[in-house]
Amino acid sequence: MDLNDIAFAQRQRLAYIDFCLLFRGHLTRTDLLNKFQVGLSAGSRDFAMYKELAPQNLLYDPARKAYLQSTKFVPLFEHDSRKTLTKLAHDISDGFDAVGDIHFPVEAPSQLNVPDIFIVARLVQAILNNKAASIIYTSLSSGSAAREIVPHSIVDNGLRWHVRAFDRKSQSFRDFVLTRISKVTVTDQGSQPGEQKIEDHQWVRMMPLHLVPHPHNVAQPTAIEMDYGMENGALKLNVRAAMAGYLLRRWNVDCTEEASLRGGEYQLYLENRQTLYGAENLAIAPGYAV
């Protein structure tokens, strides 16, 4: 049977089944019914149809009353990495882009890289199921090596995607660039004390940033105020300490003590730079020095 011969509404439900198996590793009939507000018989037909189209993709676990991703799973639909990551970042988990979204005439700047969808899927599975993951990671300093991490968040830093995770090798929370991960295996081990997101102090800590038009590089500060929706001449943000450096670099915010960076790219100045004390990734913040 060809997917294009199936009614669009049912294709959406099949894509949702496919998406959940890929990214969560499991799905119940109740999940499907609640998502689409369909009856029990319609839901049963959808699972039967999915199994007919991809019999190797799922197994039924009577104890959990859930369908599980099989070891032979191959996605029935093509899930675009960039669209899926963007949707996940906004808490949208439907898989609908795989059946043909409306194309709007809006373009976004290309990111430096596009992560492998299967790498992303396994990391999301580990996060949602509170499991550790074994990965092969290539770092700039030590090359390729096996590591065991406990991931808690997938992050878009404005330039590329990374996973925030506890690294059991260094016994610390770190950022791992997704495109530098070549293999992921979700383990049966759960997180241990000290490895959970709540223990990631750089992630939990929120830092107030007060951004103002650069006092030397901007001739018409009102234009900058309009660009960033400033109120009373300032934009006040609360940012995770783990993300502060990325934001300041992406927006080219002058972080020097006396707004001493020159150049048209520096249109913003960090008015309360003392707030950065204790943040760990400030080497990339423009002009910041302790």
Side-chain angles (χ1 to χ4, degrees), residues 190-202:
S191 60
Q192 303 299 315
E195 298 179 341
Q196 293 93 348
K197 178 163 60 174
I198 196 170
E199 302 294 338
D200 186 352
H201 302 301
Q202 291 288 309

PDB file of all heavy atoms in Angstrom, residues 190-202:
ATOM      1  N   GLY A 190      19.507   4.248  34.780  1.00  0.00           N
ATOM      2  CA  GLY A 190      18.896   5.540  35.034  1.00  0.00           C
ATOM      3  C   GLY A 190      19.923   6.510  35.579  1.00  0.00           C
ATOM      4  O   GLY A 190      21.075   6.152  35.834  1.00  0.00           O
ATOM      5  N   SER A 191      19.516   7.764  35.728  1.00  0.00           N
ATOM      6  CA  SER A 191      20.428   8.761  36.288  1.00  0.00           C
ATOM      7  C   SER A 191      20.666   8.488  37.762  1.00  0.00           C
ATOM      8  O   SER A 191      19.804   7.953  38.467  1.00  0.00           O
ATOM      9  CB  SER A 191      19.857  10.164  36.099  1.00  0.00           C
ATOM     10  OG  SER A 191      18.604  10.281  36.755  1.00  0.00           O
ATOM     11  N   GLN A 192      21.843   8.865  38.229  1.00  0.00           N
ATOM     12  CA  GLN A 192      22.227   8.697  39.611  1.00  0.00           C
ATOM     13  C   GLN A 192      22.132  10.039  40.340  1.00  0.00           C
ATOM     14  O   GLN A 192      22.048  11.097  39.707  1.00  0.00           O
ATOM     15  CB  GLN A 192      23.656   8.149  39.691  1.00  0.00           C
ATOM     16  CG  GLN A 192      23.870   6.832  38.962  1.00  0.00           C
ATOM     17  CD  GLN A 192      23.014   5.717  39.522  1.00  0.00           C
ATOM     18  OE1 GLN A 192      22.906   5.537  40.730  1.00  0.00           O
ATOM     19  NE2 GLN A 192      22.367   4.966  38.629  1.00  0.00           N
ATOM     20  N   PRO A 193      22.150  10.032  41.687  1.00  0.00           N
ATOM     21  CA  PRO A 193      22.151  11.306  42.432  1.00  0.00           C
ATOM     22  C   PRO A 193      23.305  12.200  41.969  1.00  0.00           C
ATOM     23  O   PRO A 193      24.430  11.744  41.780  1.00  0.00           O
ATOM     24  CB  PRO A 193      22.357  10.847  43.878  1.00  0.00           C
ATOM     25  CG  PRO A 193      21.764   9.475  43.925  1.00  0.00           C
ATOM     26  CD  PRO A 193      22.091   8.863  42.587  1.00  0.00           C
ATOM     27  N   GLY A 194      22.988  13.463  41.741  1.00  0.00           N
ATOM     28  CA  GLY A 194      23.984  14.414  41.271  1.00  0.00           C
ATOM     29  C   GLY A 194      24.036  14.549  39.766  1.00  0.00           C
ATOM     30  O   GLY A 194      24.736  15.426  39.241  1.00  0.00           O
ATOM     31  N   GLU A 195      23.296  13.693  39.030  1.00  0.00           N
ATOM     32  CA  GLU A 195      23.335  13.707  37.569  1.00  0.00           C
ATOM     33  C   GLU A 195      22.076  14.319  36.946  1.00  0.00           C
ATOM     34  O   GLU A 195      22.025  14.492  35.735  1.00  0.00           O
ATOM     35  CB  GLU A 195      23.513  12.287  37.035  1.00  0.00           C
ATOM     36  CG  GLU A 195      24.808  11.615  37.469  1.00  0.00           C
ATOM     37  CD  GLU A 195      24.942  10.196  36.956  1.00  0.00           C
ATOM     38  OE1 GLU A 195      23.907   9.591  36.575  1.00  0.00           O
ATOM     39  OE2 GLU A 195      26.074   9.677  36.931  1.00  0.00           O
ATOM     40  N   GLN A 196      21.079  14.635  37.772  1.00  0.00           N
ATOM     41  CA  GLN A 196      19.819  15.140  37.227  1.00  0.00           C
ATOM     42  C   GLN A 196      19.907  16.625  36.881  1.00  0.00           C
ATOM     43  O   GLN A 196      20.786  17.359  37.364  1.00  0.00           O
ATOM     44  CB  GLN A 196      18.683  14.929  38.239  1.00  0.00           C
ATOM     45  CG  GLN A 196      18.343  13.480  38.489  1.00  0.00           C
ATOM     46  CD  GLN A 196      19.107  12.917  39.692  1.00  0.00           C
ATOM     47  OE1 GLN A 196      20.026  13.537  40.192  1.00  0.00           O
ATOM     48  NE2 GLN A 196      18.718  11.733  40.139  1.00  0.00           N
ATOM     49  N   LYS A 197      18.975  17.066  36.061  1.00  0.00           N
ATOM     50  CA  LYS A 197      18.961  18.458  35.603  1.00  0.00           C
ATOM     51  C   LYS A 197      18.954  19.447  36.759  1.00  0.00           C
ATOM     52  O   LYS A 197      19.616  20.495  36.692  1.00  0.00           O
ATOM     53  CB  LYS A 197      17.748  18.690  34.690  1.00  0.00           C
ATOM     54  CG  LYS A 197      17.614  20.124  34.194  1.00  0.00           C
ATOM     55  CD  LYS A 197      16.678  20.250  33.006  1.00  0.00           C
ATOM     56  CE  LYS A 197      15.282  19.794  33.290  1.00  0.00           C
ATOM     57  NZ  LYS A 197      14.371  20.062  32.142  1.00  0.00           N
ATOM     58  N   ILE A 198      18.243  19.120  37.817  1.00  0.00           N
ATOM     59  CA  ILE A 198      18.141  20.046  38.947  1.00  0.00           C
ATOM     60  C   ILE A 198      19.492  20.277  39.610  1.00  0.00           C
ATOM     61  O   ILE A 198      19.707  21.262  40.320  1.00  0.00           O
ATOM     62  CB  ILE A 198      17.094  19.536  39.971  1.00  0.00           C
ATOM     63  CG1 ILE A 198      16.699  20.666  40.920  1.00  0.00           C
ATOM     64  CG2 ILE A 198      17.613  18.316  40.719  1.00  0.00           C
ATOM     65  CD1 ILE A 198      15.523  20.349  41.804  1.00  0.00           C
ATOM     66  N   GLU A 199      20.444  19.346  39.401  1.00  0.00           N
ATOM     67  CA  GLU A 199      21.787  19.491  39.968  1.00  0.00           C
ATOM     68  C   GLU A 199      22.726  20.275  39.047  1.00  0.00           C
ATOM     69  O   GLU A 199      23.860  20.563  39.419  1.00  0.00           O
ATOM     70  CB  GLU A 199      22.394  18.105  40.239  1.00  0.00           C
ATOM     71  CG  GLU A 199      21.581  17.236  41.174  1.00  0.00           C
ATOM     72  CD  GLU A 199      21.522  17.796  42.588  1.00  0.00           C
ATOM     73  OE1 GLU A 199      22.420  18.586  42.952  1.00  0.00           O
ATOM     74  OE2 GLU A 199      20.587  17.443  43.323  1.00  0.00           O
ATOM     75  N   ASP A 200      22.261  20.605  37.869  1.00  0.00           N
ATOM     76  CA  ASP A 200      23.063  21.379  36.922  1.00  0.00           C
ATOM     77  C   ASP A 200      22.893  22.860  37.272  1.00  0.00           C
ATOM     78  O   ASP A 200      22.007  23.541  36.775  1.00  0.00           O
ATOM     79  CB  ASP A 200      22.594  21.096  35.491  1.00  0.00           C
ATOM     80  CG  ASP A 200      23.464  21.760  34.439  1.00  0.00           C
ATOM     81  OD1 ASP A 200      24.339  22.572  34.808  1.00  0.00           O
ATOM     82  OD2 ASP A 200      23.256  21.476  33.242  1.00  0.00           O
ATOM     83  N   HIS A 201      23.759  23.356  38.141  1.00  0.00           N
ATOM     84  CA  HIS A 201      23.580  24.699  38.697  1.00  0.00           C
ATOM     85  C   HIS A 201      23.686  25.782  37.627  1.00  0.00           C
ATOM     86  O   HIS A 201      22.993  26.807  37.714  1.00  0.00           O
ATOM     87  CB  HIS A 201      24.599  24.942  39.809  1.00  0.00           C
ATOM     88  CG  HIS A 201      24.518  23.949  40.928  1.00  0.00           C
ATOM     89  ND1 HIS A 201      23.369  23.765  41.672  1.00  0.00           N
ATOM     90  CD2 HIS A 201      25.421  23.047  41.409  1.00  0.00           C
ATOM     91  CE1 HIS A 201      23.559  22.813  42.574  1.00  0.00           C
ATOM     92  NE2 HIS A 201      24.804  22.352  42.430  1.00  0.00           N
ATOM     93  N   GLN A 202      24.516  25.576  36.615  1.00  0.00           N
ATOM     94  CA  GLN A 202      24.616  26.556  35.545  1.00  0.00           C
ATOM     95  C   GLN A 202      23.345  26.596  34.706  1.00  0.00           C
ATOM     96  O   GLN A 202      23.017  27.621  34.102  1.00  0.00           O
ATOM     97  CB  GLN A 202      25.820  26.245  34.648  1.00  0.00           C
ATOM     98  CG  GLN A 202      27.162  26.462  35.314  1.00  0.00           C
ATOM     99  CD  GLN A 202      27.482  27.938  35.499  1.00  0.00           C
ATOM    100  OE1 GLN A 202      27.409  28.723  34.563  1.00  0.00           O
ATOM    101  NE2 GLN A 202      27.826  28.325  36.711  1.00  0.00           N
TER     102      GLN A 202
END
